[in-house]
Amino acid sequence: MKQRQVEVLAPAGSFESMKAAIAAGADAVYIGGSQFGARAYADNLDEDHMLEAINYAHLHGASLYMTVNTLVKEKELDSLFDYLNPYYMAGLDAVIVQDMGVFTYIREHFPDLDIHASTQMTITGAEGASLLKKMGASRVVTARELSLEEIARIHREVGVEIESFVHGALCYCYSGQCLLSSLIGGRSGNRGRCAQPCRLPYDVRKDGHSCQPRDERYVMSLKDLCVLDILPDILEAGVYSLKIEGRMKSPRYTAGVVSIYRKYVDRYLKSGRKGYHVDPRDKKILLDLFDRGGFTDGYYVQHNGRDMAALKEKPAFRQGNQELFEYLDAAYVNAELKEPVTGSLVVEEGKPVSLVLSCIDPDGENVTVQTEGTVVMTAQNQPMTEDKLRKQIQKTGNTPFQFTDLTISTVGNVFLPVQALNELRRTSLEKLERELLGKYRRESGKRETDDRSEKKTPKEMELHVLLDTPDGFDTVLELESVRELQLEADGFEPDQWSAYAFSCHEAGKRCVLALPVIFRTEAIRFFEKNWQYLTEARFDGLLVRSMEEIVYVKKKGFSIPLFGDHNLYVFNQTAKKTYDQMGLTRQTLPLELNSQELEQLGCRGMELVAYGYLPVMTSAQCIQKTTDRCTHRPGLLRMRDRTGKDLTVKNRCTFCYNTIYNPSPLSLLGQEHLIHRLAPDAIRLQFTWETKEQIRQIVQAYSAVFLEGKTGQIPFTDITRGHFKRGVE
């Protein structure tokens, strides 16, 4: 299909929404099938309807992308071929992917299918984008939190197609980094089942006291994104595809939003920045379609801010703009798109009737088909008139075509049964449709599969400790059972890194620096400033949490082992092998698989988180700034939910993001028989704000139970098993 200057990309949670989006001017539509999609509760399409949708989009000059953007468990991966192959053969334009195992699988089995790296991959910089492009991604969907400057850098340095969100709901958390819905309710956002706990009220407390007005408790509910005012800036930063959010919304909403963005994209393309202006009435239309408390232009021009949060509850009832709704229904939702066709009918006595049809395809090429039908008979009474012939041939009914011109030539006293004319018309239109769609068809994908299982020799299990701050460092150093200390980069002063690593080595322990969860401009500045400290510290490895960090470290020419953390998700063996090939020498098991699924995955060569307050959100927003002001000092707040549970919030000012933690710490004491059967290389204890004595007791308990076969107990009773027993759907 011909490359466009800009793509208006519409959401579709149903077949009806897909049709409405294309009628309203969408260049492309993204939609979910019956499996592997991040909107499990949308009206996703079964195979027949998906195939019909692919054909519909192509006949009307649009592209169709399918969401395959969930994390896929080991036992599910084998079903991916049979699921995707019919769509691949029908000409599916691209798949949107989060799981690196799925990414590699599709690259191998469906080599001609474009892969779009989902926003769930949390791509925040040129480093991650370049890695994905090298691996075969044709497009990167950026994290919603990126600034115009950061997007422009990706465009400038990588040259990959960029897709960015321009309208609709904003997640509070970096997409792909949220476990809140999963851990508190069992509904995983990584599996398409987010329960949207960020839209609920929270009482923010500091030192036991509430620190926000009673009517501003929706601190994590962000306003919807609308970028009409800065659309030229976004396009000039290098964004190619303008993505509208809303697969859970109605066809009417989809059509309305698409029609507005189509209008302003065309205005910019025609008149440039000088001729670009936004009519306030159009923004009012968008608010009439959905209003959570006003719009925000998001993160493109600001890192975060109180004005981006709705703060108040969304009104339960709003008077609808009935006139607008009726217009959208008539113009787009109920519209039947027809492609213009010209025809030439030749009816000559004694010869087969002939119909030639022509149509201009989306690439501007003329497609012509010719069909012959029944031999024309001699009229016994009155010859068939041109008007009657025209009337029958032009009845295109529910086909995607409509005649704009039909020439008719008759020779002799002609007669044809109406049934014969109907059959000629039907056969000709079907032939034209096949010809138009033929250019999209592919041969079957490659079914051959490799053995994904890995046979690794069991190792004696080690005990590792991750420390958020230096408070417990000396305590852990004294505990002989700990083989490795992992230090958060923003919690330990860079000019002391060498001293900490030296102390670990003196105590016979390895020392690893844990890099930030989000690696953006702030992180690059930090490591550029402190690079000498890092190279001189003699760390035994780096715990990496993003693809940006993998590339950044290698580009710097720094040869050091890289270990992947649990948020570089390894749900299947193919994902594990993919990260191995990226250069990770050890990986961390994901937090959302249960023990049975971990066993199917295989845990040898991996690290298992067995204790700690688990991070459930990483956000560019700052609760401290929203409820008070930015202090530029790390600190802790508590957010009390409706059940009375307190989620602790830490503002990580060095890298300018918030980490929100689960109310209860994970403890896998009591599960040692299962963990020994899984045989990970190491178990990890993560410490955040525990006291020195609590740290000592917890390490000693795990050491006794897991390394010595004795009994042990931690100093907490309010604990969680996380997903170790229950997993996620």
Side-chain angles (χ1 to χ4, degrees):
M1 194 171 289
K2 185 185 292 184
Q3 179 73 21
R4 305 176 181 92
Q5 290 177 271
V6 180
E7 178 181 87
V8 176
L9 176 58
S14 66
F15 192 87
E16 292 72 26
S17 288
M18 181 273 302
K19 291 176 65 178
I22 294 173
D27 298 304
V29 173
Y30 64 102
I31 192 167
S34 58
Q35 301 179 58
F36 306 116
R39 289 293 182 272
Y41 303 113
D43 188 11
N44 296 312
L45 307 190
D46 60 21
E47 182 175 310
D48 288 343
H49 282 97
M50 181 63 76
L51 293 171
E52 186 180 351
I54 293 169
N55 291 341
Y56 186 93
H58 289 161
L59 285 170
H60 297 297
S63 299
L64 191 138
Y65 311 140
M66 195 168 78
T67 57
V68 190
N69 56 342
T70 58
L71 299 178
V72 177
K73 300 173 185 178
E74 176 67 17
K75 66 179 181 181
E76 298 169 336
L77 199 58
D78 285 335
S79 66
L80 190 58
F81 183 87
D82 288 333
Y83 175 69
L84 276 182
N85 198 42
Y87 311 137
Y88 177 74
M89 293 173 68
L92 177 67
D93 294 285
V95 284
I96 305 169
V97 170
Q98 173 187 12
D99 189 305
M100 287 309 301
V102 173
F103 187 106
T104 298
Y105 185 96
I106 292 173
R107 192 74 287 121
E108 292 175 352
H109 294 269
F110 304 101
D112 297 328
L113 184 58
D114 280 354
I115 299 178
H116 297 174
S118 172
T119 191
Q120 291 281 122
M121 283 192 180
T122 326
I123 298 303
T124 59
E127 293 80 9
S130 66
L131 176 59
L132 286 167
K133 181 185 178 184
K134 183 179 180 181
M135 294 177 65
S138 59
R139 179 182 297 186
V140 169
V141 187
T142 57
R144 289 174 173 91
E145 291 79 4
L146 296 198
S147 68
L148 290 169
E149 290 79 8
E150 288 169 317
I151 291 173
R153 178 177 170 242
I154 295 174
H155 176 64
R156 185 172 61 250
E157 296 184 11
V158 183
V160 70
E161 269 188 10
I162 297 173
E163 175 181 307
S164 299
F165 283 90
V166 296
H167 195 91
L170 285 171
C171 293
Y172 192 80
C173 182
Y174 280 92
S175 293
Q177 304 299 320
C178 184
L179 300 177
L180 182 57
S181 174
S182 172
L183 282 168
I184 68 173
R187 288 173 53 178
S188 171
N190 285 316
R191 299 275 292 173
R193 291 170 168 82
C194 178
Q196 296 191 312
C198 53
R199 301 297 183 191
L200 298 176
Y202 293 88
D203 183 16
V204 182
R205 307 172 74 84
K206 189 171 187 177
D207 301 325
H209 302 289
S210 180
C211 51
Q212 95 250 50
R214 292 185 63 83
D215 64 343
E216 292 186 355
R217 300 179 63 213
Y218 291 81
V219 292
M220 291 201 294
S221 182
L222 298 183
K223 297 174 183 176
D224 272 20
L225 178 67
C226 175
V227 305
L228 286 184
D229 291 331
I230 59 170
L231 191 59
D233 300 316
I234 291 171
L235 294 172
E236 290 169 15
V239 175
Y240 165 71
S241 181
L242 304 172
K243 188 168 195 170
I244 297 165
E245 183 277 338
R247 281 201 288 139
M248 297 295 288
K249 294 191 173 72
S250 69
R252 179 187 291 161
Y253 171 89
T254 302
V257 176
V258 168
S259 66
I260 296 291
Y261 277 85
R262 176 81 274 156
K263 172 182 175 178
Y264 285 97
V265 166
D266 290 346
R267 177 172 292 179
Y268 174 80
L269 292 176
K270 180 181 179 181
S271 306
R273 181 180 286 271
K274 183 178 286 188
Y276 188 86
H277 63 278
V278 177
D279 187 335
R281 290 174 295 183
D282 288 330
K283 295 179 76 172
K284 173 65 166 57
I285 287 173
L286 293 173
L287 285 171
D288 284 343
L289 289 168
F290 191 84
D291 183 5
R292 203 187 297 276
F295 284 137
T296 173
D297 52 17
Y299 297 93
Y300 289 107
V301 293
Q302 59 178 331
H303 187 88
N304 55 32
R306 171 185 167 86
D307 62 323
M308 293 175 66
L311 297 176
K312 302 178 188 297
E313 187 173 9
K314 181 177 173 285
F317 174 79
R318 292 173 62 249
Q319 187 67 41
N321 185 338
Q322 197 58 37
E323 183 179 352
L324 170 64
F325 300 161
E326 290 175 0
Y327 165 74
L328 294 173
D329 287 347
Y332 307 120
V333 177
N334 300 322
E336 289 295 330
L337 288 187
K338 300 285 187 179
E339 295 304 308
V341 173
T342 60
S344 175
L345 179 69
V346 177
V347 187
E348 184 174 350
E349 189 179 340
K351 293 185 178 181
V353 61
S354 172
L355 179 59
V356 176
L357 299 181
S358 295
C359 182
I360 304 299
D361 75 5
D363 292 327
E365 297 177 3
N366 186 61
V367 176
T368 300
V369 296
Q370 180 175 359
T371 307
E372 289 189 344
T374 304
V375 174
V376 179
M377 294 182 283
T378 302
Q380 296 299 315
N381 298 310
Q382 198 168 6
M384 189 167 265
T385 65
E386 183 178 316
D387 285 345
K388 188 166 185 179
L389 291 167
R390 186 180 303 279
K391 180 181 178 183
Q392 289 305 124
I393 295 297
Q394 287 187 335
K395 288 181 177 179
T396 55
N398 60 0
T399 72
F401 303 110
Q402 179 175 297
F403 280 96
T404 56
D405 184 54
L406 176 62
T407 62
I408 298 176
S409 173
T410 61
V411 180
N413 295 321
V414 299
F415 173 78
L416 280 170
V418 170
Q419 184 178 356
L421 286 170
N422 290 344
E423 179 67 17
L424 176 67
R425 181 195 65 233
R426 183 185 64 78
T427 304
S428 297
L429 291 172
E430 287 177 352
K431 191 173 183 180
L432 179 62
E433 183 172 336
R434 286 196 302 273
E435 192 70 22
L436 286 165
L437 294 173
K439 65 191 300 181
Y440 300 99
R441 301 295 190 239
R442 304 184 182 99
E443 296 295 322
S444 173
K446 301 176 181 178
R447 185 179 283 277
E448 301 82 29
T449 58
D450 297 324
D451 181 16
R452 295 194 303 273
S453 61
E454 284 194 284
K455 307 296 188 290
K456 288 201 172 185
T457 305
K459 292 175 60 178
E460 185 176 342
M461 190 184 298
E462 292 187 348
L463 188 61
H464 299 171
V465 166
L466 172 65
L467 292 174
D468 214 47
T469 68
D471 292 348
F473 181 82
D474 291 338
T475 301
V476 176
L477 209 61
E478 297 170 359
L479 300 171
E480 188 176 338
S481 59
V482 177
R483 299 298 304 141
E484 178 176 298
L485 270 76
Q486 302 164 0
L487 315 179
E488 288 286 355
D490 62 339
F492 291 76
E493 290 297 325
D495 61 359
Q496 296 298 308
W497 286 347
S498 287
Y500 287 118
F502 179 79
S503 297
C504 286
H505 296 155
E506 284 287 288
K509 305 180 191 303
R510 296 188 300 276
C511 190
V512 170
L513 187 70
L515 304 190
V517 175
I518 301 299
F519 196 83
R520 289 176 59 187
T521 304
E522 296 81 8
I524 292 174
R525 290 195 192 111
F526 174 84
F527 285 103
E528 290 295 319
K529 177 182 177 182
N530 297 297
W531 190 253
Q532 186 173 348
Y533 291 131
L534 178 58
T535 55
E536 292 175 353
R538 297 182 63 200
F539 285 118
D540 299 286
L542 300 176
L543 184 65
V544 297
R545 285 141 166 179
S546 73
M547 282 186 264
E548 279 74 26
E549 290 164 353
I550 297 171
V551 175
Y552 178 79
V553 172
K554 289 182 177 180
K555 279 176 66 176
K556 298 287 284 186
F558 188 32
S559 180
I560 187 172
L562 301 179
F563 310 136
D565 206 354
H566 56 77
N567 67 320
L568 291 177
Y569 298 110
V570 177
F571 264 51
N572 51 74
Q573 274 289 335
T574 306
K576 184 180 186 306
K577 286 186 177 181
T578 301
Y579 281 118
D580 285 345
Q581 291 164 4
M582 289 184 195
L584 300 188
T585 57
R586 187 181 74 211
Q587 295 166 51
T588 308
L589 292 159
L591 301 176
E592 292 187 300
L593 296 182
N594 62 32
S595 60
Q596 185 178 3
E597 291 160 346
L598 290 171
E599 190 167 15
Q600 291 167 352
L601 171 65
C603 298
R604 289 173 183 168
M606 307 277 278
E607 184 173 80
L608 173 70
V609 178
Y611 169 83
Y613 287 91
L614 299 179
V616 294
M617 271 196 180
T618 302
S619 177
Q621 289 294 323
C622 179
I623 296 293
Q624 168 68 36
K625 186 175 180 179
T626 298
T627 56
D628 185 10
R629 58 187 174 82
C630 180
T631 62
H632 300 287
R633 292 196 305 273
L636 299 179
L637 293 172
R638 305 277 191 267
M639 289 197 309
R640 181 159 295 174
D641 68 14
R642 297 182 301 174
T643 69
K645 293 276 190 180
D646 284 337
L647 290 83
T648 300
V649 185
K650 180 165 187 175
N651 49 309
R652 297 186 175 275
C653 298
T654 301
F655 304 119
C656 202
Y657 63 80
N658 273 196
T659 304
I660 302 174
Y661 293 90
N662 201 46
S664 306
L666 171 76
S667 174
L668 296 185
L669 283 181
Q671 306 301 310
E672 51 271 13
H673 62 294
L674 287 174
I675 293 174
H676 279 299
R677 191 168 81 191
L678 295 175
D681 279 14
I683 58 172
R684 183 202 299 172
L685 314 180
Q686 300 186 166
F687 295 110
T688 44
W689 47 82
E690 292 87 347
T691 65
K692 294 179 181 180
E693 185 53 34
Q694 288 170 337
I695 291 173
R696 182 185 302 278
Q697 291 179 38
I698 293 166
V699 173
Q700 288 175 338
Y702 273 85
S703 175
V705 170
F706 284 93
L707 304 183
E708 302 168 30
K710 300 178 181 178
T711 59
Q713 188 173 344
I714 65 171
F716 302 116
T717 55
D718 179 21
I719 62 165
T720 177
R721 301 294 188 200
H723 287 296
F724 191 75
K725 300 293 285 185
R726 67 181 182 183
V728 293
E729 285 185 52

